[in-house]
Amino acid sequence: MRQPPWMQALHQQIADAGPALIIASSTTRLWQWLRAVKPPVIVIGSQLWEQKEQGVLAPLILRPASFIRSLREKDSLPGPVIVLQDQLNGSGPSFIPWQDGSRELMLSAIDFLLFQRFRPPVFRICAAHPGRLTLQAIDMTLPAFQPDRFPVYADTVYPAFMDEISIPLPDWEAEHTFACKNPEQLQILLADEMRLLECVLRESLLRQDDPSHRSLLQALQLRQTGSVQRASAANGT
């Protein structure tokens, strides 16, 4: 199938950018581009896309902690790195609160850490134009590194990203995971899943020999484990 012109244009733009840090939203267009073009990029995300369509993109997707471990003794990024911040949620030291207007969000520190360590050029993949994606440079004329400079970084990188996903984008796939970047919403989700798991566990005492019930119980236990890990910054660094 012939690729739309914007796919090759984006591929060339990212190739020209070299070892750059790229912020993107999790749109269907981005997924289609990654699947069709198979660019030499690293994607930092979560389980949202790991199993989609039989895990076709799984080799490209790394969790933040895994990627940080791969950078030991490196003095530059290995190539273009796309960070899907809207897929990363949790709490703990690897997530930093940032105020977006009236709401507080817990942002993964991964891209901030990469910027502070390597000072690469920073771009964002713009999805505001229907039917295509474009690459836009972000002016990162920040002061010298100081531990409290994350707000400066976030105020520079994320306002356009937040405006874009607030449109809302018709093909945005991370609405559910992004909602959990709000600490209160994450706690509500965990509480709901705990109540559901408790109900299933109680019922299991009465139906221990039901294969379908055992399968449901196992699925819920795995899901709850993942939720607890996210709450303790399993996606973090």
Side-chain angles (χ1 to χ4, degrees):
M1 182 180 296
R2 187 177 180 181
Q3 297 172 0
W6 69 263
M7 287 193 174
Q8 282 304 318
L10 181 62
H11 177 63
Q12 188 60 52
Q13 288 176 317
I14 289 181
D16 292 343
L21 183 61
I22 303 170
I23 309 301
S25 52
S26 301
T27 60
T28 303
R29 279 168 287 168
L30 181 60
W31 165 267
Q32 292 171 340
W33 176 75
L34 291 167
R35 184 182 59 181
V37 178
K38 296 180 175 60
V41 301
I42 295 169
V43 180
I44 300 180
S46 70
Q47 72 278 7
L48 183 66
W49 280 358
E50 285 177 353
Q51 297 180 350
K52 185 176 179 179
E53 296 188 24
Q54 291 74 52
V56 65
L57 292 186
L60 289 181
I61 299 176
L62 292 177
R63 302 293 181 91
S66 298
F67 183 59
I68 287 293
R69 286 193 294 269
S70 75
L71 294 176
R72 290 174 181 169
E73 301 181 0
K74 297 280 178 63
D75 55 9
S76 67
L77 293 175
V81 177
I82 298 176
V83 177
L84 302 175
Q85 180 72 240
D86 55 6
Q87 292 189 18
L88 303 172
N89 54 64
S91 59
S94 60
F95 287 83
I96 307 177
W98 179 63
Q99 203 73 24
D100 176 36
S102 61
R103 63 179 174 177
E104 182 179 87
L105 300 174
M106 299 298 292
L107 298 186
S108 171
I110 179 63
D111 49 307
F112 176 61
L113 294 176
L114 294 176
F115 177 75
Q116 291 294 351
R117 179 173 172 182
F118 300 116
R119 292 301 174 100
V122 182
F123 298 82
R124 77 180 188 96
I125 293 179
C126 176
H129 304 289
R132 62 190 174 100
L133 299 173
T134 58
L135 193 69
Q136 296 182 348
I138 299 175
D139 182 11
M140 300 301 293
T141 54
L142 294 183
F145 171 71
Q146 295 180 24
D148 62 349
R149 287 298 180 183
F150 174 77
V152 177
Y153 171 87
D155 288 345
T156 303
V157 171
Y158 283 106
F161 171 85
M162 296 299 171
D163 290 344
E164 182 177 271
I165 62 177
S166 298
I167 295 174
L169 295 171
D171 61 339
W172 187 37
E173 299 187 11
E175 183 175 3
H176 177 73
T177 55
F178 182 79
C180 294
K181 298 183 84 64
N182 179 288
E184 293 182 2
Q185 184 64 34
L186 179 60
Q187 291 304 315
I188 291 172
L189 175 65
L190 291 174
D192 288 344
E193 291 191 347
M194 285 293 288
R195 283 192 289 269
L196 178 58
L197 181 58
E198 181 182 3
C199 291
V200 175
L201 287 171
R202 288 180 183 276
E203 189 177 355
S204 69
L205 297 175
L206 303 176
R207 303 173 59 186
Q208 295 182 17
D209 297 326
D210 187 334
S212 62
H213 184 78
R214 286 200 301 271
S215 177
L216 175 61
L217 178 59
Q218 290 172 355
L220 284 170
Q221 288 173 325
L222 287 173
R223 183 175 177 183
Q224 182 61 27
T225 299
S227 296
V228 171
Q229 288 174 340
R230 289 195 299 273
S232 59
N235 286 331
T237 58

